[in-house]
């Protein structure tokens, strides 16, 4: 198929399209919107089948909507301007010049764009990677611009926003092409497709204690469960315990808005700005109360990283190790669960996602961290339910409260570390 743009005249030569369907004006508008000014001539890959080959395996209400149609919906719902035919990079610079986004946002988005395009090209997707990347980043730019102008007020319990803009599906469409699903690994499928759905069906709760490696972990988990096991519906229900970084950074906000979140200020960052510490503590108390309410209600899944942050590459060994778990954070979750009458099951979870979107080498106070993605396989493992040391019986004589908490944290860390090593996490 060849598309030829000459001024306002358009000639289309189409051969052997899937199902013998002609390219519609909607597709032409999409292509022209992204590339009309950039080039007078554009060739679409021959193996692209615009209406049939890009159906998502999604469990949401958009299931079976072709990717081209979803992209078109994103452009329309995000109200991406279509009167000037600016490329993403040109528009990002214009927004910076007009004071609509800060300079670090422009820089982060443009650098991310280039690494994302390279990752999508490596994936070999059937749709032209330039077209797909350009469209997704045009939409993302509009969402970021709005977050810069009007910061979204995340409540202690934030529920996924699906209308009028489907933030969840946008985030999944953003993540799917850069995950090498065929080579990715899931361990513990007997829990994912067996005991966990049964426990939820009985109105019981499930809590995952996990390491945390990438800003994109919620979407990475969703893509794996959906694409490898057909458990997209299950993935949609997970409530992620989210720190302030993914809620305050305007580049991260659009992706966070698509997930179910319990929002907290982590111990790692709660003292960054002392004048706001009291408000942060008040917010955390509200979140804990809401979490207890959700567990009392039953039938909920909560994902929690007891480390309070992402795993980072060790400067001495060069390995990406599971960060130590904070005993106080772990104990708080265990205590809240012990206060409800509904049954709570605790599972260890390990993630191997560092290569997908590596965190900065060091913890940053300022927002606006660089993002660099790669097309890589990832991994997820769930182990057998946790049996806490001294959880149901009295501790031995001479064992203090602090030692008990440390023992519990060490016990859990060891379980997650074992799963992580089975995934080959140390090879990243």
């Amino acid at each position: 198929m060849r598309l030829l743009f000459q001024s306002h005249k358009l000639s289309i030569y189409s051969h052997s399209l899937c199902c013998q369907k002609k390219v519609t004006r909607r597709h032409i508008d999409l292509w022209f919107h992204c590339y009309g000014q950039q080039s007078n001539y554009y060739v679409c890959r021959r193996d692209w089948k615009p209406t049939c080959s890009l159906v998502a395996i999604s469990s949401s209400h958009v299931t079976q909507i072709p990717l081209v149609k979803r992209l078109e919906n994103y452009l329309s719902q995000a109200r991406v301007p279509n009167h000037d035919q600016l490329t993403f990079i040109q528009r990002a610079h214009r927004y910076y010049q007009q004071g609509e986004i800060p300079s670090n946002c422009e820089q982060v988005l443009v650098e991310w764009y280039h690494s994302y395009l390279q990752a999508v090209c490596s994936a070999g997707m059937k749709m032209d990677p330039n077209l797909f990347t350009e469209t997704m980043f045009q939409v993302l730019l509009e969402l970021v611009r709005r977050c810069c102008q009007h910061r979204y007020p995340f409540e202690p319990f934030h529920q996924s926003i699906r209308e009028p803009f489907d933030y969840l599906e946008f985030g999944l469409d953003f993540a799917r092409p850069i995950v090498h699903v065929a080579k990715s690994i899931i361990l513990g499928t007997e829990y994912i497709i067996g005991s966990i759905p049964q426990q939820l069906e009985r109105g019981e709760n499930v809590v995952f204690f996990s390491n945390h490696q990438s800003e994109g972990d919620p979407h990475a988990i969703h893509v794996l469960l959906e694409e490898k096991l057909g458990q997209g519906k299950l993935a949609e229900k997970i409530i992620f315990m989210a720190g302030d970084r993914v809620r305050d950074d305007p580049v991260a906000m659009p992706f966070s808005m698509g997930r179910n979140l319990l929002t907290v200020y982590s111990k790692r960052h709660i003292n960054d700005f002392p004048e706001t510490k009291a408000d942060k503590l008040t917010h955390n108390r509200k979140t804990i109360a809401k979490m207890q309410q959700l567990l009392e209600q039953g039938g909920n899944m909560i994902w929690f990283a007891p480390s309070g942050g992402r795993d980072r590459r060790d400067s001495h060994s060069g390995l990406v190790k599971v960060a130590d778990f904070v005993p106080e954070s772990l104990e708080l979750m265990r205590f809240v669960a012990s206060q409800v009458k509904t049954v709570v099951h605790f599972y260890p979870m390990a993630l191997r996602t560092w290569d997908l979107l590596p965190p900065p080498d060091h913890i940053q106070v300022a927002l606006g961290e660089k993002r660099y993605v790669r097309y890589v396989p990832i991994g997820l493992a769930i182990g057998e339910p946790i049996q806490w040391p001294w959880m149901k019986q009295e501790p031995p004589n001479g064992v203090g409260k602090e030692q008990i908490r440390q023992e519990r944290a060490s016990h859990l860390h060891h379980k997650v570390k074992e799963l992580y090593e089975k995934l080959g996490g140390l090879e990243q």
Side-chain angles (χ1 to χ4, degrees):
M1 179 175 65
R2 183 177 64 170
L3 299 182
L4 181 61
F5 296 96
Q6 293 179 332
S7 301
H8 297 291
K9 297 180 180 179
L10 175 65
S11 299
I12 303 176
Y13 297 90
S14 178
H15 302 287
S16 304
L17 290 178
C18 180
C19 301
Q20 302 299 317
K21 292 185 179 180
K22 294 182 179 180
V23 178
T24 68
R25 179 55 189 267
R26 294 197 305 274
H27 303 138
I28 295 168
D29 288 342
L30 176 60
W31 296 326
F32 188 75
H33 169 65
C34 292
Y35 290 94
Q37 187 180 26
Q38 184 177 355
S39 173
N40 288 328
Y41 180 79
Y42 179 73
V43 179
C44 182
R45 287 173 50 167
R46 287 185 178 180
D47 59 355
W48 186 42
K49 301 174 181 179
T51 57
C52 299
S53 65
L54 297 172
V55 175
I57 311 172
S58 172
S59 56
S60 67
H61 68 277
V62 296
T63 303
Q64 304 301 307
I65 298 177
L67 178 57
V68 169
K69 179 61 179 176
R70 295 205 303 278
L71 293 181
E72 193 176 26
N73 289 341
Y74 298 148
L75 287 168
S76 173
Q77 293 165 1
R79 299 192 295 276
V80 177
N82 60 2
H83 61 277
D84 51 22
Q85 281 85 51
L86 291 178
T87 65
F88 157 73
I89 292 177
Q90 292 169 339
R91 194 180 305 284
H93 188 61
R94 172 178 285 187
Y95 284 166
Y96 160 64
Q97 289 181 320
Q98 294 175 345
E100 297 188 75
I101 62 172
S103 60
N104 65 334
C105 266
E106 180 195 9
Q107 182 180 356
V108 167
L109 286 169
V110 170
E111 290 178 351
W112 196 8
Y113 171 90
H114 290 300
S115 71
Y116 187 87
L117 176 58
Q118 185 176 1
V120 173
C121 287
S122 299
M125 67 183 303
K126 293 183 181 296
M127 185 175 185
D128 183 273
N130 292 280
L131 171 62
F132 177 80
T133 303
E134 179 74 19
T135 305
M136 293 298 282
F137 272 81
Q138 287 269 16
V139 174
L140 178 59
L141 176 60
E142 287 303 312
L143 301 179
V144 170
R145 180 181 68 86
R146 292 179 202 172
C147 290
C148 287
Q149 295 176 338
H150 305 285
R151 183 172 174 267
Y152 182 78
F154 286 92
E155 296 293 331
F157 176 45
H158 167 80
Q159 293 180 277
S160 173
I161 299 176
R162 309 299 301 271
E163 294 178 344
F165 185 89
D166 195 336
Y167 287 91
L168 173 60
E169 197 64 26
F170 175 77
L172 292 174
D173 277 331
F174 195 93
R176 287 184 185 110
I178 59 174
V179 175
H180 195 323
V181 174
K183 291 187 176 181
S184 294
I185 302 172
I186 294 186
L187 302 177
T189 55
E190 66 270 27
Y191 304 115
I192 300 170
I193 63 178
S195 59
I196 290 175
Q198 293 169 9
Q199 289 159 355
L200 296 172
E201 185 67 24
R202 294 196 298 265
E204 299 166 358
N205 300 291
V206 169
V207 173
F208 299 114
F209 288 119
S210 175
N211 67 318
H212 179 27
Q213 295 206 321
S214 163
E215 188 178 68
D217 279 348
H219 293 87
I221 293 170
H222 194 135
V223 169
L224 278 187
L225 294 180
E226 177 184 77
E227 302 283 350
K228 299 285 280 188
L229 299 178
Q231 292 292 323
K233 277 291 186 185
L234 186 72
E236 284 182 26
K237 295 178 181 178
I238 300 176
I239 302 168
F240 293 89
M241 189 73 76
D244 52 304
R245 314 294 287 181
V246 296
R247 308 191 321 268
D248 293 344
D249 188 333
V251 176
M253 280 186 204
F255 300 99
S256 301
M257 291 164 70
R259 307 303 324 188
N260 298 316
L261 306 175
L262 281 166
T263 62
V264 295
Y265 290 93
S266 69
K267 184 178 179 181
R268 180 178 290 182
H269 292 290
I270 203 163
N271 293 312
D272 287 350
F273 302 97
E275 66 276 11
T276 64
K277 182 177 180 179
D279 291 337
K280 293 176 181 178
L281 291 173
T282 299
H283 180 98
N284 282 358
R285 284 192 288 269
K286 292 180 180 178
T287 299
I288 293 167
K290 185 62 183 179
M291 179 172 65
Q292 183 172 339
Q293 181 183 340
L294 289 169
L295 292 177
E296 193 71 66
Q297 171 186 315
N300 287 303
M301 280 184 297
I302 297 176
W303 179 94
F304 177 60
S307 63
R310 289 166 286 180
D311 303 336
R312 284 174 164 80
R313 190 176 295 283
D314 183 77
S315 58
H316 299 291
S317 67
L319 301 175
V320 181
K321 298 180 179 180
V322 176
D324 291 337
F325 291 170
V326 179
E328 293 82 5
S329 299
L330 182 61
E331 195 65 18
L332 177 62
M333 174 66 79
R334 194 190 68 83
F335 174 77
V336 172
S338 70
Q339 300 303 298
V340 302
K341 297 178 181 179
T342 312
V343 176
V344 181
H345 302 274
F346 299 100
Y347 286 87
M349 175 188 286
L351 295 176
R352 175 187 171 169
T353 56
W354 192 93
D355 275 336
L356 185 70
L357 177 58
D361 293 335
H362 306 286
I363 298 171
Q364 296 181 190
V365 175
L367 299 176
E369 66 181 55
K370 293 184 178 181
R371 290 160 174 86
Y372 178 85
V373 296
R374 287 175 286 194
Y375 174 63
V376 294
I378 58 178
L380 180 155
I382 295 178
E384 62 181 3
I386 299 165
Q387 300 299 321
W388 298 101
W390 309 321
M391 186 172 182
K392 295 184 178 180
Q393 71 270 15
E394 290 297 318
N397 291 332
V399 178
K401 184 182 296 185
E402 292 303 318
Q403 184 177 346
I404 293 174
R405 291 179 174 181
Q406 187 59 56
E407 285 284 342
R408 286 181 179 138
S410 298
H411 175 75
L412 176 60
H413 186 270
H414 178 71
K415 293 292 184 183
V416 173
K417 183 181 174 183
E418 282 185 331
L419 294 172
Y420 181 67
E421 291 177 358
K422 289 180 181 179
L423 292 172
L426 296 177
E427 300 169 12
Q428 296 182 99

